[in-house]
Amino acid sequence: MRIKVHCLNRIGMTRDILDLLVNYGVNVARGEVGGEQGDAIYLYCPNLINMQFQALRPKFEAIPGVFGVKRVGLMPSERRHMELNALLGALEFPVMSIDMGGSIVAANRAAAQLLGVRVDEVPGIPLSRYAEDFDLPELVRANKSRINGLRVKVRGDVFLADITPLQSQHDDSEAMAGAVLTLHRADLVGERIYQVRKQELRGFDSIFQSSRVMAAVVREARRMAPLDAPLLIEGETGTGKELLARACHLASPRGQSPLMAMNCAGLSESMAETELFGYGPGAFEGARVEGKLGLLELTAGGTLFLDGVGELSARMQAKLLRFLQDGCFRRVGSDEEVYLDVRVICSTQSDLSELCARGEFRQDLYHRLNVLTLHIPPLRECLDGLGPLVDHFLDQASRQIGCALPRIVPASMARLTHYHWPGNIRQLENVLFQAVSLCEGGTVKAEHIRLPEYGVREPLREFSLEGGLDEIVGRFEKAVLQRLYPEYSSSRQLGKRLGVSHTTIANKLRDYGLNAEKK
């Protein structure tokens, strides 16, 4: 029987209670002091029967400072133990408590399954029997603080370990009782991150296809999405290259696996390398002691999206090429070969074939990436679908701002239709958000449509008709190229726009000195 004595917290209280039980020949196997103020004494008396307890109750209550006594089902420590076991048992990842001798003190069911033993066989097993080159007690003594994401191998599988030291209030390492070790499979970490973010991802249905040209692009993308080969997406800034990449990923057999993205243009070479490939423990000064997983490893089994791949340095191009060829890479500061199954989708604003011709991009990498290609047209070539797109962004902006859906007057639509949209759909979205925030009376007027004219020259306004026909045509041709070339990232795309060959455009740009001007 287990009993709880509610009593005053005073010196000698436990002795008075025990003396009573001794006088009646009741053996006490275990006792605990509990309660918020230490105002309860719990006793486990194996041979105490209910009849004896009822006879002893008045005598307990006669002890000075005792307020009451009753039977309980569990001792506080037993309840905590059962609750802890239930919580640990519900965890799908392995959790172990390790003492400072390196032996496992306790473990949950997932940890026992990992080690290949029963839960009751775990206590006393040395961790070193299963973990390679992993001295946990020494690591705890050296760090004296929590460690997250340390790479360890347990029975040949790679895990990321979180280590929480068990330490008293003293600072010296001798006061440490050990540590709690939590293991997460390295190949599933990216999937968990992806599942958290998955609700933010969008598929093909969210891509506006009101324009004939854009509808054709989406049809091509739907056919390419299930193919397990590299995909290259070309298009100007703001055209939605990442949105299309995510849609292709979700429509592929890898759609339930992680999708990770990296902007190659926004990172230095060293940062891009560690971000993409990760680094080993202590790889460089200031590095985390446990090392770091790169995006490739977090993407295991899924899709990696590299935005602005043309901005990668020559060394990064070589490392990416090796991964595409062999499916393996090395982390920074590590000799270990890591083999992964990852699909690569890249995007670029530049013409990679021109970069190859200038020696700025590896041809072998270009051919590896250019297995499947999609070209997203700029907004100015999709104006036949502008109306539904404007309605969508107006609705979206009004919801975000918390106002009624405004109507847009014909003059405002005319401004939107005749603009050249250097920032494409992203710029249209921002312009309409600003217009909704400025408009009053539920009407978006022309003055609410604020369109910057940055980077736009108008050489045709003061066009001269002096000279012969060849001179006039030459000036006009140069003016046309001056007007259009800044809006296209390459002579190939400009040639496609004007319906002439890439070579013709390249020669005329050179003759008029416009290619050097753009640089």
Side-chain angles (χ1 to χ4, degrees), residues 3 7 96 109 112 134 201 218 262 363 373 395 400 426 440 459 476 494 506:
I3 62 175
C7 59
M96 292 176 272
R109 187 179 296 108
F134 181 45
L201 304 181
V218 172
M262 187 180 88
Q363 287 196 6
T373 307
D395 178 67
Q400 292 175 352
R426 186 185 298 127
E440 297 177 354
F476 185 86
L494 181 54

Side-chain angles (χ1 to χ4, degrees), residues 92-94 151 157-160 183-196 256-260 293-302 340:
E92 61 182 17
F93 45 81
R151 289 182 61 86
D157 290 327
V158 179
F159 292 85
L160 298 181
L183 300 175
H184 306 275
R185 286 188 64 95
D187 56 353
L188 298 181
V189 173
E191 182 175 343
R192 287 174 181 161
I193 296 173
Y194 173 70
Q195 292 302 328
V196 172
Q256 298 302 312
S257 299
L259 169 70
M260 297 292 171
L293 286 182
L295 288 178
L296 267 176
E297 286 182 86
L298 291 174
T299 315
L340 293 173

Side-chain angles (χ1 to χ4, degrees), residues 377-393:
L379 179 58
R380 58 185 167 275
E381 295 180 11
C382 304
L383 295 180
D384 57 320
L386 186 63
L389 199 56
V390 169
D391 292 339
H392 168 71
F393 286 137

